[in-house]
Amino acid sequence: MRTSGDRNMDTSNRDASPANRVIVRYRLRFLDRRAPAWVGVIGVASILAIWQMASSFGFVSEADLPGPASIFQAAVSMVQNGSLLLNVEASLIRIVAGYFIGAISGILIGLWFGFSRITERVGMPIANALYPIPKLAIIPLLILWIGAGEMPKILVVAAEVFFPVLFNTYSGVRNTDPLLIRAAASFGAQPLTLIRQVILPASLPTIFAGLRIGAGLSLLVLVAAEMIGAQHGIGAMILTYSSLMQTPNLMVGVILLSILGLAITRGLGQIERWLLPWKE
Amino acid sequence: MRLIMESVNKTYRDKRGQETHVLQDIDLSVEKDEFLAIVGPSGCGKSTLLGMVAGLVPLTSGSISFALEDGQSPHAPRIGVVFQEHALFPWRTVQRNVEYGLEVQRIGKRERTERARTLIDMVGLSGFEQRYPHQLSGGMRQRVGIARALAIEPDLLLMDEPLSALDAQVRQLLQEELLRIWEQHRQKTLYVTHNIAEAVAMADRIVVLSRRPGRIRAVLTVEIPRAERSLPDRQTQVAEYQRQIWDLIRSDAEQALYEDVRG
């Protein structure tokens, strides 16, 4: 008698085994984490439902934690009166500009550190010393230098992105598989060709890891900078609604940040798949 | 305790829902004191079969069991596994790695130390007890793996390509050593390999598997006494076994060359 079960079933046919047998059983069932795909959807939906009920029945006050419905309403009205777009636009410009400045300079200087021993000797201690400074602390200095306005916020985002990208680019270059470098050199590749054709592609995965770390940090420092001093922007918006006690609108801002963060991560992942089809 | 596999089947399903029949209707037993080798091309499911015997891979259908001898009280069979990539715990010293299985069995500290010492000595690693795996050569690590598996005095010894990760010279030496150790213990052994020469040099019986689905294509009994298999005047006979097995595997191995590139 044999149980013709579905895959992965331990069908050591218990009933048919004679008494003088010890059956080998599958020992790792506790690690088989199997769950159908719909569990996720249902799970999230029911959490939202419980949340909504908690606030509809007044278990949680609307002022503390508004339910999904009133947050949605707030979002709709903010879209309609145009304030949402205004704030998102302000934030996007800052984060995109800052990110690009930080990422590009991080990659360039990281490459330079990676190739030039002198630059590395001089630059690394400086970079190591500057890196631990919380970048928000330099905003007052930046304002002193270039005045208030958009530039300090953009530059502080850039500074935050710069370091992880710099360090990762550097280590990507330094850790290029020497075997690949030897392979290229054996075919007579000249230094510049070798850098372009071997060291750069080999470092790209590490560089991208740095870009991803930078993306998360940039959002953090952007919001903080906007809360310190900005008219518009998601950070400023959250602060304003908080002082007005308009919790649903505040929550819209928080959720926007989640969406923005997800979009950035997804976008980077997509670019990575385009640029690095050979990975994995 | 004999090991008995009855109508063992294994089917994998990938993310796209594609089913692969890895093993089909495997009926096989390993007798007392027997060294059984399973040989087959890559993708024939030989390691999967070994994993199922060890209880590390679930069966799709069929059963694997140990038959008790008369008067033997049923106990969970102890199974010692030697893995291809040694699978030593990097944070444990040689001594503590060899003791591991005994620890799981809650054997007292003194006995553990003693038994591990004996085994370490037997695999020729005395003096290396306090080293960590990363401080050892590949061949030494695999010796530790063998000592760890034998320390529990297993009812069945499973070896999954234990020599495949080693270079040719070390492999040859360790193979001889493995045979010497095996002669001392004479423990029923299931040995998985893709190396035909290795199987012919070591095994009492050789099971040849086909691939996709893995089925038993042939079972050969090596009639040359183990000790004589390295003697010059036995080489024609040894070569004949090897040729016979290769003839059974060849076309499957050729297929595997192309099919293994998937996704």
Side-chain angles (χ1 to χ4, degrees), chain A residues 226-237:
Chain A
E226 286 176 346
M227 284 182 169
I228 291 171
Q231 289 234 293
H232 300 293
I234 301 174
M237 181 181 100

Side-chain angles (χ1 to χ4, degrees), chain B residues 117-167:
Chain B
R117 278 277 147 78
T118 318
L119 262 307
I120 291 170
D121 190 44
M122 193 178 71
V123 298
L125 285 178
S126 298
F128 292 95
E129 289 87 350
Q130 297 315 315
R131 300 289 182 89
Y132 285 98
H134 81 269
Q135 300 170 303
L136 307 175
S137 71
M140 288 159 96
R141 286 177 200 160
Q142 204 47 284
R143 283 161 201 258
V144 179
I146 293 163
R148 178 176 68 173
L150 287 174
I152 58 167
E153 292 171 357
D155 297 302
L156 172 69
L157 183 62
L158 298 178
M159 293 196 263
D160 188 4
E161 309 240 9
L163 306 179
S164 297
L166 307 170
D167 73 58

Side-chain angles (χ1 to χ4, degrees), chain B residues 167-227:
Chain B
D167 73 58
Q169 290 158 18
V170 174
R171 188 186 310 158
Q172 181 60 36
L173 292 173
L174 204 56
Q175 179 185 312
E176 287 164 17
E177 182 121 348
L178 205 53
L179 277 181
R180 179 183 63 77
I181 294 168
W182 193 84
E183 288 296 342
Q184 280 178 39
H185 279 250
R186 293 215 139 258
Q187 187 44 268
K188 139 166 97 290
T189 297
L190 193 59
Y191 189 100
V192 160
T193 183
H194 66 262
N195 187 323
I196 297 170
E198 218 171 275
V200 175
M202 302 173 91
D204 297 308
R205 277 195 303 157
I206 299 173
V207 176
V208 182
L209 288 186
S210 64
R211 73 187 290 276
R212 304 272 154 79
R215 258 181 298 202
I216 297 181
R217 178 159 281 185
V219 182
L220 288 82
T221 307
V222 185
E223 307 280 5
I224 320 165
R226 215 185 314 276

Side-chain angles (χ1 to χ4, degrees), chain A residues 56-265:
Chain A
S56 307
F57 295 137
F59 295 132
V60 193
S61 91
E62 277 280 306
D64 290 337
L65 182 65
S70 37
I71 295 176
F72 184 72
Q73 266 170 15
V76 170
S77 73
M78 285 159 78
V79 170
Q80 280 166 349
N81 67 24
S83 67
L84 190 93
L85 189 67
L86 187 73
N87 286 310
V88 169
E89 198 184 353
S91 284
L92 272 182
I93 289 172
R94 286 172 196 139
I95 200 167
V96 169
Y99 190 82
F100 268 98
I101 296 172
I104 288 168
S105 52
I107 290 174
L108 289 179
I109 295 179
L111 290 174
W112 194 18
F113 277 23
F115 289 122
S116 154
R117 191 82 178 137
I118 299 173
T119 321
E120 182 197 338
R121 281 268 159 82
V122 178
M124 258 312 173
I126 299 177
N128 280 326
L130 293 179
Y131 169 57
I133 300 173
K135 303 303 166 292
L136 289 172
I138 62 168
I139 289 187
L141 190 66
L142 287 173
I143 293 175
L144 205 67
W145 286 347
I146 53 179
E150 287 303 300
M151 264 333 257
K153 297 182 198 75
I154 292 174
L155 286 182
V156 82
V157 171
E160 189 75 45
V161 176
F162 173 76
F163 287 98
V165 175
L166 164 76
F167 290 131
N168 271 48
T169 306
Y170 166 78
S171 86
V173 171
R174 300 301 314 159
N175 294 325
T176 299
D177 186 352
L179 186 63
L180 297 180
I181 295 177
R182 290 161 62 124
S186 76
F187 286 107
Q190 296 302 305
L192 273 178
T193 335
L194 199 147
I195 288 172
R196 193 167 46 79
Q197 292 183 336
V198 179
I199 297 181
L200 260 182
S203 324
L204 269 182
T206 330
I207 294 177
F208 260 98
L211 288 174
R212 251 181 279 121
I213 300 170
L217 294 172
S218 67
L219 200 59
L220 176 107
V221 78
L222 169 80
V223 172
E226 286 176 346
M227 284 182 169
I228 291 171
Q231 289 234 293
H232 300 293
I234 301 174
M237 181 181 100
I238 290 174
L239 203 64
T240 313
Y241 286 127
S242 142
S243 49
L244 294 174
M245 299 281 278
Q246 292 183 340
T247 322
N249 299 53
L250 183 156
M251 295 290 283
V252 172
V254 173
I255 291 166
L256 263 180
L257 289 173
S258 155
I259 294 170
L260 190 57
L262 278 175
I264 294 173
T265 318

